[in-house]
Amino acid sequence: MSESNPINQNPQPNEAVESTNQPATNLEDRNAKTRQLLGMKGAATGETSIWKIRLQLMKPITWIPLIWGVVCGAASSGNYTWSLENVLKAALCMLLSGPLLTGYTQTINDYYDREIDAINEPYRPIPSGAISEKQVISQFVLLVLLGYAVAYTLDLWAGHEFPNVLMLSVFGSFIAYIYSAPPLKLKQNGWLGNYALGASYIALPWWAGHALFGELNWKIVVLTLFYSLAGLGIAIVNDFKSVEGDRQLGLKSLPVMFGIQTAALICVVMIDLFQGLVAGYLVTIHENLYAAILVLLIIPQITFQDMYFLRDPIANDVKYQASAQPFLVFGMLVTGLALGHAGI
């Protein structure tokens, strides 16, 4: 009786492992390249396209909150209507707040953080040698000048007698400069630096959107500066990935000053407390429904803080931001709508 030989032999163990790992490796490579373009932690290295490198410097992932801030400002003005002209105005203001001025801020920050990044994030464009310092300087100068041009265009379009949007842009770019550059370098102080960053993410684009469609007043200025104390907590989240380099170079970030766990607790308390206090203010102006919605949006943030951030703020910072930050930004819009409805 002859012995039968099956046509399909079982794969060797090494071949099976290689076949299984190949899709996972390809997925990891794609994720790393996406992170590189967005300017996120854990990016790939070896990019040669100068335009992709310039985009990485501008950190597109950071544009979203400022673009959203313009929407909140338009809502709080109480004057936004859905016309083609208003949509185009808002889109141009989003271009100003996001790619242009936030891109300028991130580029100049990378330039002055090149020594820290060489320790914490050596894959960043400057420490990796992917772009020269001269090219970086030309990029942030061009971005801020384009920002000023767009801001002045918006003032003309809105019929402003005083160039409100341009002045806000000049002020914002100045804050971005002193945040990153010596001798002031606000980021050397965990409280001042993070508040400047929080206000830049919440108050400044909010003011621009409000000024574009209405009259910017002191109540809006004060309330958004107060709201920015919640933004201070969000800004602290970004310090955990840089704690080792900050410690070596003597920067007094909150994780360096207070330790990882205490700084994480300060961070979440700031985020939750000041959103809650804003909800309380909405009750005082009789916008109870909006206040209730804002409180409901704080609850999932607390949940994700416990699930991810407080357990391991260094490992889970990106995961926490991705899961919790959408609820914070929707809370901003709820507040903007409430202020517009109340005619503040």
Side-chain angles (χ1 to χ4, degrees), residues 163-181:
N164 297 320
V165 181
L166 176 59
M167 289 300 100
L168 288 172
S169 300
V170 171
F171 177 68
S173 61
F174 172 72
I175 295 297
Y177 178 79
I178 64 174
Y179 172 79
S180 299

Side-chain angles (χ1 to χ4, degrees), residues 59-104:
K59 293 186 182 178
I61 193 68
T62 64
W63 302 349
I64 299 170
L66 289 103
I67 290 172
W68 191 257
V70 173
V71 176
C72 297
S76 68
S77 73
N79 297 321
Y80 184 84
T81 55
W82 288 99
S83 66
L84 178 59
E85 181 180 11
N86 283 346
V87 169
L88 293 175
K89 278 184 187 177
L92 193 58
C93 195
M94 291 175 187
L95 174 68
L96 168 67
S97 296
L100 295 179
L101 292 188
T102 308
Y104 155 79

Side-chain angles (χ1 to χ4, degrees), residues 315-331:
N316 295 330
D317 60 341
V318 174
K319 187 183 293 186
Y320 165 68
Q321 287 178 307
S323 57
Q325 192 158 305
F327 295 98
L328 181 140
V329 298
F330 277 114

Side-chain angles (χ1 to χ4, degrees), residues 155-168:
D155 280 318
L156 293 177
W157 197 350
H160 291 160
E161 294 182 5
F162 180 81
N164 297 320
V165 181
L166 176 59
M167 289 300 100
L168 288 172

